[in-house]
Amino acid sequence: MDITQLIPQFGGLIWTLLAFVIALSVIVAIHEYGHYIVGRWSGIKADVFSLGFGPVLWSRYDRHGTRWQLAALPFGGYVKFRGDANASGGKDDSAMATLTEEERRQTMNGAPLWARALTVAAGPVFNFALTIILFTGLFMVRGTVTEPLTVGDLRPLPAVQELQEGDVLLAIEGTEVPGFEDGFDTFLKDLPQQESLTYTVSRDGREIDVAGPYVYPPLATQIVPRSAAGEAGMEAGDVILSIDGAPIFAFDQLKAKVESSDGESLGLEVWRNGEILDLAMTPKRTDEPLPEGGYRAVYRIGIVGGMFFDPATEVAGPWEAFTGGVSRTGEIIVGSLSGLWHMVAGNISSCNLSGPIGIAETSGAMASQGGQSFITFIAVLSTAVGLLNLFPVPVLDGGHLVFFAWEAATGRPPSDKALNVLMSLGLVLILGLMAFALTNDLFCP
């Protein structure tokens, strides 16, 4: 075997690991900083803030006496508060016994209930805040679509098209173009799915008719990680000319062909920068949420479509971008909880749950598709980490909050014996879930 054949695979592996480490480090740092800063505000002192585990590569002490460090294994992090037995928490009885009343107040175990609860809850809250901030920034960068709909950057296509950047779309095939947010999708459904359409545009103060492709051609603007299209070697910017020899001109035609494939292999003729490629791929069965609730099983090849041009945009206001970020974060939380519930109920496949290998592959794929895609991935993963940590499982933040709720209701914390048993059970549950997710990564199609 020629060892040079391994170089592209090795390079891809390094890129995947690097993207995964960057994404995880950002999310973990924000999560742990939430614990740290709210703890400090609440009068609880931290001895160590560590990004990573294992041998320490670098460290320094700040003026508050906290040791900030980078460790060799960049797959997590922790805050060790004063009086904790170790990085996982727990009470160091011998150390606590030597402290004065004032010093005990500065420990996690000796602080008032409200301070402990706020400190623990801050980690997931900071994850959600990171998601909102990232989406707000993305909305501000992307802007909002200009009305009336105006042509921005044109995408490379094999078909001849006469539109130009700055053209204002007035009508297509003689029908007036509605507002982008006011019935545009319904308007598209009534257009003929053919190779060329007549566009009436306003250009330089003149109203003219020009030829152009279908508004949503069978164009791949993005390839979904770990999809049939990705495995077949498709790239963003590819245009599908035909499926099994039948020409297609609209993305909906591609979608219909894939959905009716029943999982059988499809032969695609693909245009890429003037070159024609023949690719074969087998659609994968996937579970998609329905607007009215629930899920449906469909076949997909993992291509995200788009118009043959980027619409011209205008800057989104800070409030509009912020509310959009909050709304998007809420949608991710609701969708995640719904998906988890349907997996537990057996309504959808448990293969929808990815483990570390799947997450790492997705991070590498999203990073390779550009900065905005990678930032979107970090935002979604940050929400997932925050949500997971709120589950009422001992060893997770949500489990600690349940213990605090018990203490608030009864006036006393759970006994050390009960805590040890519950924490052990929680650890077994989490390790079991991780093993199950890893099995999905290795054996799910």
Side-chain angles (χ1 to χ4, degrees), residues 149-155 164-167 308-313:
L149 186 59
T150 303
V151 176
D153 292 333
L154 290 158
R155 304 183 192 275
Q164 298 179 8
E165 182 178 350
D167 285 348
F308 68 90
F309 63 89
D310 286 323
T313 59

Side-chain angles (χ1 to χ4, degrees), residues 57-387:
L57 304 178
W58 170 90
S59 70
R60 75 170 183 86
Y61 284 91
D62 66 13
R63 62 187 179 88
H64 300 286
T66 301
R67 182 188 183 189
W68 296 74
Q69 64 184 39
L70 290 176
L73 301 176
F75 300 108
Y78 62 89
V79 176
K80 182 179 180 294
F81 290 104
R82 189 157 299 176
D84 286 352
N86 49 51
S88 302
K91 183 168 30 173
D92 186 342
D93 291 320
S94 59
M96 293 288 289
T98 65
L99 300 179
T100 65
E101 195 64 32
E102 181 180 352
E103 290 172 332
R104 287 176 63 85
R105 169 60 182 83
Q106 297 172 350
T107 68
M108 175 64 85
N109 293 285
L113 181 59
W114 65 266
R116 285 178 278 146
L118 287 178
T119 300
V120 168
V125 169
F126 269 54
N127 280 131
F128 298 143
L130 173 62
T131 301
I132 293 171
I133 291 170
L134 291 179
F135 278 129
T136 298
L138 287 173
F139 288 144
M140 292 188 72
V141 169
R142 293 170 180 170
T144 57
V145 175
T146 302
E147 297 287 2
L149 186 59
T150 303
V151 176
D153 292 333
L154 290 158
R155 304 183 192 275
L157 292 175
V160 176
Q161 58 94 0
E162 301 169 351
L163 282 93
Q164 298 179 8
E165 182 178 350
D167 285 348
V168 178
L169 300 188
L170 303 177
I172 304 176
E173 290 294 307
T175 303
E176 182 180 352
V177 177
F180 193 71
E181 301 291 341
D182 185 26
F184 188 72
D185 289 340
T186 302
F187 164 76
L188 289 180
K189 294 183 184 299
D190 295 328
L191 293 177
Q193 296 178 342
Q194 58 193 37
E195 184 175 10
S196 179
L197 299 176
T198 300
Y199 290 78
T200 303
V201 303
S202 174
R203 178 186 299 171
D204 299 328
R206 298 181 300 117
E207 187 174 309
I208 60 174
D209 289 337
V210 295
Y214 186 76
V215 181
Y216 277 88
L219 162 73
T221 61
Q222 185 176 330
I223 305 299
V224 177
R226 309 182 76 204
S227 64
E231 293 169 359
M234 283 199 69
E235 299 176 0
D238 287 354
V239 180
I240 299 173
L241 303 178
S242 66
I243 300 180
D244 290 338
I248 60 172
F249 308 107
F251 193 86
D252 280 348
Q253 291 175 313
L254 166 65
K255 184 179 177 182
K257 288 277 189 180
V258 171
E259 288 181 348
S260 62
S261 68
D262 200 27
E264 297 295 326
S265 179
L266 300 173
L268 276 64
E269 185 181 35
V270 176
W271 180 91
R272 179 184 298 168
N273 297 324
E275 182 182 1
I276 304 299
L277 307 174
D278 291 317
L279 301 177
M281 62 189 69
T282 303
K284 294 185 177 183
R285 187 177 181 273
T286 185
D287 298 298
E288 292 187 351
L290 296 169
E292 63 273 15
Y295 285 76
R296 66 166 182 160
V298 292
Y299 285 98
R300 294 284 184 256
I301 58 174
I303 292 176
V304 178
M307 293 192 287
F308 68 90
F309 63 89
D310 286 323
T313 59
E314 52 191 12
V315 177
W319 178 251
E320 182 181 8
F322 174 74
T323 55
V326 172
S327 176
R328 184 73 185 99
T329 302
E331 290 171 3
I332 294 171
I333 292 174
V334 171
S336 298
L337 292 175
S338 174
L340 182 62
W341 168 254
H342 283 281
M343 270 191 284
V344 172
N347 298 327
I348 61 175
S349 171
S350 60
C351 285
N352 287 282
L353 180 66
S354 294
I357 295 176
I359 295 172
E361 289 180 351
T362 301
S363 66
M366 296 299 281
S368 67
Q369 296 187 38
Q372 291 193 21
S373 294
F374 188 50
I375 290 172
T376 300
F377 170 74
I378 292 177
V380 173
L381 186 59
S382 181
T383 302
V385 169
L387 189 60

Side-chain angles (χ1 to χ4, degrees), residues 1-21:
M1 177 180 178
D2 184 357
I3 195 170
T4 60
Q5 296 177 6
L6 295 176
I7 294 177
Q9 299 178 32
F10 182 73
L13 176 62
I14 294 298
W15 175 253
T16 294
L17 288 175
L18 179 61
F20 178 58
V21 167

